[in-house]
Every structure is written in C-alpha cells, then in structure tokens.
Amino acid sequence: MKRILTLVLAGALLFGASIASAADAARLTMATGGTSGVYYPLGGAISQVLTNKSGGAISITPQATGASGENMRLTHAGDVQLAILQNDVADAAYKGLAPYKQKFSNVRAIARLYPEYLHVVATQDSGVKQMADFKGKKVSVGARGSGNEVNCRQLFGYFGLNYKNIEPIFLPYGETADQFKDRALDGFVFTIGTPNPAVQDITTSQKVTFVPLAGKEADEIVKAFPYLVKDSIPAKTYRGQDEAVPTLAVQAMLVVNKDMSDDVAYTITRLLFENIGDVAKAHNKGAEITLARAADGVTIPFHPGAEKYLKEKGVLK
C-alpha cells in the first residue's frame, strides 16, 4: 500500500510538473497567409517543428491571414507575435513609405527564409503576350493591401498600366485560381515561392501564357526598388512551361514583435536553423532556408535575440 501511494504521489508530481511546464511555455501566434499560398503550409510546418523541438519552451499556432500587408500590421500591433512576410513590404512599412502612411516600427527581423518569384500569368485566349497587353483586361492583383498588391503597384506604372486602364480584381490566391479556371479573369500576378499549388492546379487544367518581366522596364524597376532582383522561374516548374521565364523576385522573411523577450527570439532563431531538415520534410520550401543567407535582403533591424544567435554563427558581425 505504501509503495502504491508512493507511485501515485510520484505520478502526481510528474503530472503537476508537466502542467506547470505547459503553463510556462511561451504561447505564440504566427501570421501566415491564404490557405492556397506557401506561407500558410510553411508557417504550419515551422510552427510544428519549433514547438516539438523546444522542450516545452514555446508553443506556436499558425493563423491564416491576408499575407504580408496584414501580417505587418498584426505584428506591429502585437495581435500576433511572429509572421512571415515579404522583405520589400517590411522595409516600406517600417520606414512609413508608400503605400503606408505611418511607420510600423514595432517589428523586428528573425531571418530571411526563401526567394519569391513574381508570376504573371494570362489565359491563352486573352491574347496577352507582354505586360502592356493587359490594358482593358481583368487582372487579379491579390488581396487588397497584401504584399502581392504592393508589387503590382510597383510594377504596373513601368509598363504603362494602372488601376484605371485595367480592371483590378482583389482576390487571394485560391479564389483567383477558381475564377481564372472559370474564365472570369484574363490574368493574375502572384508573388510566391515555386512551385505554387494554385498555379500547378491551373496549368494542369488549361494552357496559359507566362508573361515575362524583362528588358529596360525590369532594369528601371530594380533600380527603383532594390528589394526586387532579376531572376527567373526555372524551366518545367509548371506543366506546359518548357522554358525559364524571366521575372523579378523578393525574399520571404520571418519577423516578430519587438517586445518579444530576447530569450524567446533567440530560441526561435536557434531552433529554426538547427531543425531545417525537419521543416524541409514537412514542406519543400524548407530546403531553401539556409543559415548562410539568413541576412539576405533584410533591411529592418534584427531582434536582439536573433542577432545574438546570428552573430554566434558568424552570419552577422
């Protein structure tokens, strides 16, 4: 009887310790993106791996959002503790540059994640071959205020386009794909990693035209917006896309609210780079996250916790 009571007491103590450990965990919410984009599943993968590998120190829950623009606002306000967003959006919002009318200065960087390519796609029967051909057409520019829409505003003027000579449609990726397949749209612009499930779905059901972003216009855009770099969507990324498509790219990055404790930010950064293999198993974009490129394209301040880890690893001086 005494032995049984001892075992029961030991079990209760262990149970109590696990409850206390769970209560002590930093409970965090990660803003991601639409369910048809890359941010949502990748954010889910990162959240699960970091939670599982933290030994009870942190617990991260991914949240679907309207992506970069909304994520910057949510993180700045402290409504979420961390988020995935584009580096160009982070820079403009942090500095209060157009289209932002205030400085979102409460956001700090953890690390660059992977490149995102601008996909400009048109239906074959639209007759669109180059950007200028979109005049008078229905074009999905992404959710209103998203990083995707910011890129459209950056691009269009250099090709003689604006929201008056095209019909802009403000839809997230999944709804864009549905309307495109129903022939309710002539084209769309996605700023996304590759391969994108929505674009894959479209190209398996119909032939499309991938519109290039190249020439003097691309040169001028890169000069004006140094966060956009010349790149190309690799050949055969999508069905029917036999050649590489010249385009521009930004970088996806992980950010946090500035009030996150240094210890938690350090833990997030360390766990991310120590467990990239597990993230890559859960989502293929994880394979593009590397410690060597953790600071690429990051122009807003790093969180002190992240900075400490990246300095230890020689990424930052």
Side-chain angles (χ1 to χ4, degrees):
M1 183 67 178
K2 194 171 184 180
R3 176 177 172 78
I4 293 173
L5 287 172
T6 300
L7 290 172
V8 169
L9 179 60
L13 288 171
L14 287 171
F15 179 73
S18 79
I19 293 293
S21 176
D24 291 340
R27 300 189 177 277
L28 313 170
T29 300
M30 178 190 291
T32 59
T35 55
S36 296
V38 174
Y39 286 6
Y40 182 75
L42 177 61
I46 292 173
S47 297
Q48 183 174 7
V49 170
L50 268 58
T51 298
N52 292 344
K53 297 292 185 177
S54 74
I58 59 175
S59 177
I60 305 175
T61 302
Q63 175 178 307
T65 67
S68 294
E70 181 180 356
N71 292 357
M72 193 73 184
R73 288 187 286 270
L74 289 170
T75 309
H76 171 76
D79 294 332
V80 300
Q81 291 72 48
L82 64 167
I84 302 175
L85 48 79
Q86 292 171 206
N87 64 335
D88 58 327
V89 172
D91 183 86
Y94 184 83
K95 296 174 180 176
L97 303 176
Y100 299 95
K101 297 180 180 179
Q102 69 174 89
K103 293 183 178 181
F104 290 77
S105 55
N106 293 338
V107 180
R108 298 291 183 268
I110 291 291
R112 170 263 192 199
L113 298 177
Y114 66 90
E116 296 186 335
Y117 303 98
L118 273 71
H119 293 54
V120 184
V121 181
T123 61
Q124 282 203 336
D125 57 10
S126 69
V128 172
K129 301 293 183 184
Q130 55 188 0
M131 287 294 289
D133 296 335
F134 277 118
K135 288 181 180 178
K137 307 293 186 181
K138 291 183 179 180
V139 184
S140 176
V141 296
R144 194 182 293 274
S146 66
N148 199 102
E149 195 214 344
V150 169
N151 289 149
C152 289
R153 290 179 180 274
Q154 291 169 334
L155 295 175
F156 283 178
Y158 291 89
F159 295 96
L161 303 176
N162 55 54
Y163 284 4
K164 294 181 180 179
N165 61 18
I166 67 164
E167 184 177 343
I169 309 296
F170 302 94
L171 293 173
Y173 298 144
E175 292 178 42
T176 292
D178 290 340
Q179 293 210 18
F180 189 89
K181 288 187 292 184
D182 290 341
R183 304 301 198 274
L185 296 172
D186 297 301
F188 60 83
V189 180
F190 282 178
T191 304
I192 45 174
T194 57
N196 175 258
V199 180
Q200 285 179 314
D201 183 34
I202 288 169
T203 55
T204 57
S205 62
Q206 67 189 94
K207 292 182 178 181
V208 303
T209 299
F210 284 88
V211 181
L213 294 174
K216 64 180 180 61
E217 293 89 354
D219 293 337
E220 292 171 357
I221 291 168
V222 170
K223 185 175 180 180
F225 306 103
Y227 319 102
L228 291 168
V229 299
K230 290 183 179 181
D231 213 318
S232 62
I233 300 171
K236 300 187 182 301
T237 298
Y238 301 105
R239 184 174 181 178
Q241 182 234 328
D242 297 327
E243 298 180 357
V245 180
T247 190
L248 302 170
V250 296
Q251 308 296 321
M253 60 186 293
L254 185 64
V255 302
V256 297
N257 183 275
K258 72 177 182 62
D259 292 331
M260 177 177 285
S261 76
D262 291 0
D263 286 345
V264 171
Y266 180 91
T267 297
I268 288 172
T269 313
R270 178 180 63 81
L271 291 175
L272 174 64
F273 289 108
E274 287 183 355
N275 297 283
I276 287 302
D278 290 327
V279 175
K281 289 177 184 177
H283 194 282
N284 63 347
K285 300 310 290 184
E288 298 182 39
I289 303 172
T290 64
L291 180 60
R293 299 191 63 186
D296 285 10
V298 178
T299 58
I300 68 172
F302 281 93
H303 190 287
E307 185 177 40
K308 178 183 177 183
Y309 178 81
L310 295 177
K311 282 184 175 180
E312 288 176 357
K313 295 300 179 180
V315 177
L316 296 176
K317 295 182 180 180

